[in-house]
Amino acid sequence: MAGPFEIINEREEPTGWSFDIQEIRGDGSLAGIRLTLSWADYDLFCPDGAVPPEGVARAVMDVAAGLWPEGVPPRFDASFPRKRDPGADRRICERVDMRAL
């Protein structure tokens, strides 16, 4: 089962951001994940720019945890959840909105 996530590092890149993330798995083991978040996905999930990229990354990982119960893949893009579940973008946007409160 996918567990809580900790963002270790954030880097701005020409196409968006990348994050080094540590997932704490149900058995207590740690798994490293590299999340990429494009400018386009950031704008989709947070059109007003009110939430920092890290908050959007956390919302993506929260939704991903439910879609990959076996654990999020080690290389992960913010667009992957929509490929697994058409409602994922909506759920990510809802989580981003909650972080802005």
Side-chain angles (χ1 to χ4, degrees):
M1 169 120 190
F5 300 94
E6 178 182 9
I7 295 178
I8 306 296
N9 191 28
E10 173 185 336
R11 287 174 303 287
E12 190 167 338
E13 298 184 350
T15 59
W17 296 268
S18 67
F19 300 88
D20 294 320
I21 297 174
Q22 190 170 56
E23 177 185 13
I24 304 166
R25 300 240 163 120
D27 64 2
S29 65
L30 302 175
I33 298 165
R34 170 76 49 93
L35 170 67
T36 54
L37 173 65
S38 70
W39 290 102
D41 279 331
Y42 176 83
D43 289 343
L44 173 68
F45 300 138
C46 187
D48 64 1
V51 176
E54 180 179 333
V56 175
R58 290 182 188 283
V60 169
M61 295 306 292
D62 287 347
V63 170
L67 297 173
W68 280 267
E70 68 283 4
V72 174
R75 295 230 177 247
F76 196 79
D77 186 82
S79 68
F80 289 0
R82 78 176 60 101
K83 295 172 185 173
R84 195 167 255 209
D85 178 354
D89 285 347
R90 179 186 47 77
R91 290 197 309 279
I92 292 169
C93 289
E94 289 169 354
R95 283 178 172 74
V96 168
D97 288 345
M98 290 184 341
R99 292 182 189 287
L101 297 176

